[in-house]
Amino acid sequence: MSTRAGAVVRSDTCGLDDLVVPYGIEEAARDLLTLGESWPRRWATTWRFAGDEVVWPVRDLAGVPVFSSEPVRRFTWRARQRHRPGMQFMVSTRRHHGFESLEEQRLLLALDFLRVAEVLPQPFRLGFEHAAGRAEHTPDFLAVMPDGAGGCSMSGRAGSSSTRTRSSSPRRWRRRPPAAGATRW
């Protein structure tokens, strides 16, 4: 058991909000995003299936066969790396999952406590528009929740240099970007 803000959090009864701190988009950063009525049609995700890339508009994400997808990028391990990659065994999926940093390893541990049905690494690349032009972001994981009703795209280090584009672009998100609402994720 651990305590958070004076409350006791038990590992057998905790939920996503007890284990993962949501990263909200600041209002100023949200204003930099180019939304409008047609953003779900203009913003797109790129997935990989059998080695080929397939693009889906955000509005159609509910129809993506996520369990057939492959990571859109892979990471390599080599001597003298600045980050700490490794493999984390998850009881809930009964296999090892790769991580690129200690933050991602902790995220996998938290997801295991939630008994997620599946964890997909670097599942898609989101292309979005903001005041300075277009940018892309690849979430670290897509976690499919136990009820199978949806998932959460997650990045381990929101607000760091790895989760930002050039200084003129908006901050990226940790959980539930605007695209998530359009897909019931």
Side-chain angles (χ1 to χ4, degrees):
M1 285 193 285
S2 66
T3 61
R4 183 177 60 128
V8 174
V9 178
R10 291 181 24 193
S11 62
D12 62 331
T13 61
C14 61
L16 184 62
D17 292 331
D18 297 317
L19 296 172
V20 179
V21 177
Y23 179 77
I25 300 174
E26 298 168 7
E27 200 62 37
R30 181 179 285 279
D31 290 343
L32 292 175
L33 296 173
T34 306
L35 295 172
E37 291 180 23
S38 63
W39 76 266
R41 183 176 39 83
R42 292 187 331 268
W43 291 20
T45 57
T46 302
W47 298 73
R48 186 178 295 273
F49 296 95
D52 295 324
E53 290 190 349
V54 180
V55 176
W56 260 277
V58 167
R59 71 170 182 218
D60 298 332
L61 283 180
V64 175
V66 297
F67 294 113
S68 302
S69 69
E70 301 169 355
V72 294
R73 75 171 178 82
R74 302 209 182 263
F75 65 94
T76 59
W77 299 9
R78 62 187 184 283
R80 300 186 186 135
Q81 284 183 232
R82 300 191 114 198
H83 62 281
R84 303 279 190 244
M87 300 293 284
Q88 175 72 34
F89 182 79
M90 294 181 68
V91 174
S92 56
T93 63
R94 294 189 174 109
R95 65 179 196 281
H96 286 88
H97 296 270
F99 59 85
E100 295 180 294
S101 66
L102 297 177
E103 291 87 357
E104 288 182 25
Q105 182 183 25
R106 286 188 211 102
L107 180 57
L108 288 171
L109 181 61
L111 290 171
D112 206 13
F113 272 96
L114 297 174
R115 298 176 188 93
V116 295
E118 186 59 75
V119 175
L120 305 169
Q122 285 83 35
F124 58 86
R125 193 170 45 250
L126 173 66
F128 61 97
E129 299 170 347
H130 57 86
R134 293 193 57 84
E136 292 183 336
H137 174 66
T138 302
D140 295 323
F141 302 106
L142 175 66
V144 180
M145 304 320 272
D147 60 6
C152 294
S153 60
M154 301 185 169
S155 294
R157 293 176 18 157
S160 72
S161 60
S162 67
T163 60
R164 293 181 66 134
T165 57
R166 294 179 189 91
S167 60
S168 62
S169 70
R171 287 188 179 196
R172 296 192 183 152
W173 39 82
R174 179 177 260 176
R175 274 183 50 204
R176 290 199 60 131
T183 61
R184 297 185 310 259
W185 286 357

